[in-house]
Amino acid sequence: MKKILFVGITALAMASCTHDDYAPVSKQEQYQAVFEKEFGTVNPNVNWGFTPQQVFTFDKDGKLIGTRGANTSANQWYEYLTVPDTLTDAQKDVVRRWFQNNKNPQGQKVNWSDFFVQQVYKGGTNPGSNSPEIYDILKDGVLDKDKGKVTGSNHMDWLACGNEESQYRDHINNFNGGDAGIMNVGEGDNKFHNDKIMYMHDYNTTCFGFHDSYGQTYYYDSYVLIPGDIIDPIVAGMYFVGFDYQMQKHDNGVLKVEADGYYSDWIVRIAPGLNAPGAGKRVMVEDIIDSNLASVQTSDWDFNDAVFDVKFEYNWKDGHNQKFAVITLHAAGGTKYLTIGGQGDKGVEVHKALCVEEQGTMINTGNGATRPVAIFRIPVADNVNNANDIPVYVGAQELTAQQGEATQKLCVPTDVKWMKERVQFINSYDQFKDYVNSNTPDNWYKSVKNLGNLY
Ligand SMILES: [Ca+2]
Ligand SMILES: [Ca+2]
Ligand SMILES: [Ca+2]
């Protein structure tokens, strides 16, 4: 056996040293070949749309961008965000009724570092027939008429989000007593409205909670997050968090209100902090390079294996200014281990970020799961201001976009739609091939032949 193995190694060494036909070809070289077979010769000047971007700076006093936590500079939100409209009475009504009529609903999770919170309903002001929202008090497990009744929402005083153990658990400013204060949103040329709304910046949606002022206790497991899609078409695409009041207090015995499974004691809407048009750039990623490049087909090219927007900002954190790329992840149209921000554990895996555990599930490309966007931050060096400098990996293979070379990443404005699965890129974006071959038109994404191919 040993002898045979030795002969094999010698033959291999000779092949790679003496015959050019057998010389190892790099993945990128193989990729260049299949890319040019599909799209033609790459023009040496093509840079795939990547350019330096605007950097937003937030000072510690909340000018333009607030410190982490609640950002109360509502008049500036429109400069870098798409602010949700006010909710109509009909929308609030249909949401209230849903929470009042559905006991112990199954919730879901979202993953947003930046989001709005909007008031929907203060429990007890319009109770449902099943969900009283005004509770009897039990003393040592027995109804205690002397204690009277308690309106839960009146004691839900400190709406908060973030991890219970985390130092980053914070108050959603302005949201107390089951209600919220009015904010003046936008000014001047920017759209203006009044609503009970707050923007949470550099935060997280790991959990939501409230402080009960009756028993002086925090509750971080008495909420449920429900997509508007299952409530009513007039709130489709929205997300709502409902809270179920509970209370416990030691006062010559145990006084108690038990959670009743109706999460209508306080209802808020949460909405992702999406970029204002022009505030960021969109990156569309192709992972074919990690496949068997001998069998690539036209429909394998879709540049939707990750689709994310990049916005740069300086943010006051832990006592000094730090630079971040804010990533808004829209789609994960592949089944490989794809990370943004670094390789493996050093980056963020796209399926996980979108709250889907199975790596084999494609997300938001019309052929798998549908999920809300994910929003997260990646620390970057001070000199980084180009979305191309945000590393993207498939396994150990970095995906690159080099001028004049076959690319795995495209950079486009944030209103460009991405591809569905199994449709032909080349027959959807009509002028992409011209762009590859001649570096023009650089707005190739505006020529769409078959809109139905886009998500
Ligand atoms: Ca309740
Ligand atoms: Ca692909
Ligand atoms: Ca795909």
Side-chain angles (χ1 to χ4, degrees), residues 155 210-219 245-248:
H155 296 281
F210 60 88
H211 178 252
D212 166 45
S213 65
Y214 198 108
Q216 298 291 331
T217 305
Y218 294 93
Y219 293 96
Y245 181 70
Q246 51 180 302
M247 179 276 283
Q248 188 163 334

Side-chain angles (χ1 to χ4, degrees), residues 143-155:
L143 180 64
D144 187 337
K145 284 235 154 66
D146 294 345
K147 294 288 176 193
K149 288 184 177 266
V150 56
T151 300
S153 66
N154 289 346
H155 296 281

Side-chain angles (χ1 to χ4, degrees), residues 135 244 260 262 265:
Y135 300 94
D244 193 4
D260 63 1
Y262 291 101
D265 295 288

Side-chain angles (χ1 to χ4, degrees), residues 103-384:
K103 193 175 185 177
N104 296 321
Q106 187 68 39
Q108 68 168 75
K109 285 199 169 298
V110 297
N111 177 17
W112 304 334
S113 63
D114 300 67
F115 57 98
F116 290 93
V117 182
Q118 234 171 333
Q119 175 69 10
V120 174
Y121 174 66
K122 173 178 159 66
T125 57
N126 195 354
S129 47
N130 299 318
S131 49
E133 298 157 15
I134 300 165
Y135 300 94
D136 294 318
I137 295 176
L138 302 177
K139 184 171 182 180
D140 296 328
V142 181
L143 180 64
D144 187 337
K145 284 235 154 66
D146 294 345
K147 294 288 176 193
K149 288 184 177 266
V150 56
T151 300
S153 66
N154 289 346
H155 296 281
M156 299 167 81
D157 249 359
W158 205 76
L159 195 69
C161 54
N163 209 321
E164 185 176 4
E165 286 82 37
S166 163
Q167 56 170 320
Y168 292 135
R169 183 189 68 198
D170 267 316
H171 182 206
I172 298 170
N173 213 41
N174 228 9
F175 279 71
N176 292 295
D179 207 347
I182 296 251
M183 299 287 281
N184 292 327
V185 182
E187 66 179 3
D189 292 338
N190 292 322
K191 202 171 156 185
F192 183 92
H193 71 57
N194 291 321
D195 202 5
K196 296 175 174 178
I197 187 168
M198 183 51 64
Y199 176 57
M200 301 302 288
H201 173 252
D202 189 10
Y203 213 74
N204 73 78
T205 50
T206 309
C207 76
F208 293 86
F210 60 88
H211 178 252
D212 166 45
S213 65
Y214 198 108
Q216 298 291 331
T217 305
Y218 294 93
Y219 293 96
Y220 285 93
D221 55 359
S222 209
Y223 79 96
V224 67
L225 198 166
I226 301 292
D229 297 38
I230 68 168
I231 296 178
D232 192 275
I234 65 170
V235 290
M238 299 182 187
Y239 293 86
F240 299 92
V241 177
F243 296 89
D244 193 4
Y245 181 70
Q246 51 180 302
M247 179 276 283
Q248 188 163 334
K249 185 183 170 77
H250 294 270
D251 184 13
N252 297 322
V254 180
L255 303 183
K256 219 173 177 183
V257 169
E258 284 178 348
D260 63 1
Y262 291 101
Y263 291 79
S264 58
D265 295 288
W266 194 354
I267 306 169
V268 297
R269 175 193 178 191
I270 57 170
L274 300 176
N275 295 326
K281 286 276 200 180
R282 178 157 298 168
V283 178
M284 306 199 296
V285 174
E286 177 53 61
D287 70 10
I288 277 181
I289 193 168
D290 194 48
S291 308
N292 178 0
L293 291 169
S295 61
V296 168
Q297 295 171 19
T298 271
S299 60
D300 292 336
W301 296 98
D302 52 23
F303 282 92
N304 71 2
D305 303 321
V307 179
F308 59 93
D309 299 347
V310 180
K311 180 175 71 178
F312 291 102
E313 66 175 41
Y314 275 108
N315 188 19
W316 190 264
K317 193 167 182 172
D318 302 330
H320 65 288
N321 243 347
Q322 296 180 42
K323 197 171 189 183
F324 293 92
V326 183
I327 307 294
T328 305
L329 176 63
H330 293 276
T335 57
K336 294 171 182 160
Y337 183 81
L338 197 152
T339 54
I340 299 173
Q343 184 187 340
D345 291 347
K346 295 192 184 78
V348 176
E349 208 285 318
V350 291
H351 302 86
K352 269 221 171 86
L354 290 164
C355 302
V356 172
E357 284 306 316
E358 303 80 35
Q359 188 189 307
T361 302
M362 292 180 267
I363 306 160
N364 297 342
T365 53
N367 195 355
T370 305
R371 298 288 306 157
V373 298
I375 305 177
F376 53 90
R377 276 179 171 66
I378 290 172
V380 296
D382 281 341
N383 62 354
V384 170

Side-chain angles (χ1 to χ4, degrees), residues 414-432:
T414 54
D415 59 354
V416 173
K417 291 184 169 185
W418 58 92
M419 296 279 292
K420 289 179 184 166
E421 300 297 336
R422 313 303 300 174
V423 288
Q424 299 186 348
F425 196 88
I426 206 162
N427 288 335
S428 308
Y429 297 107
D430 220 8
Q431 296 182 320
F432 181 67

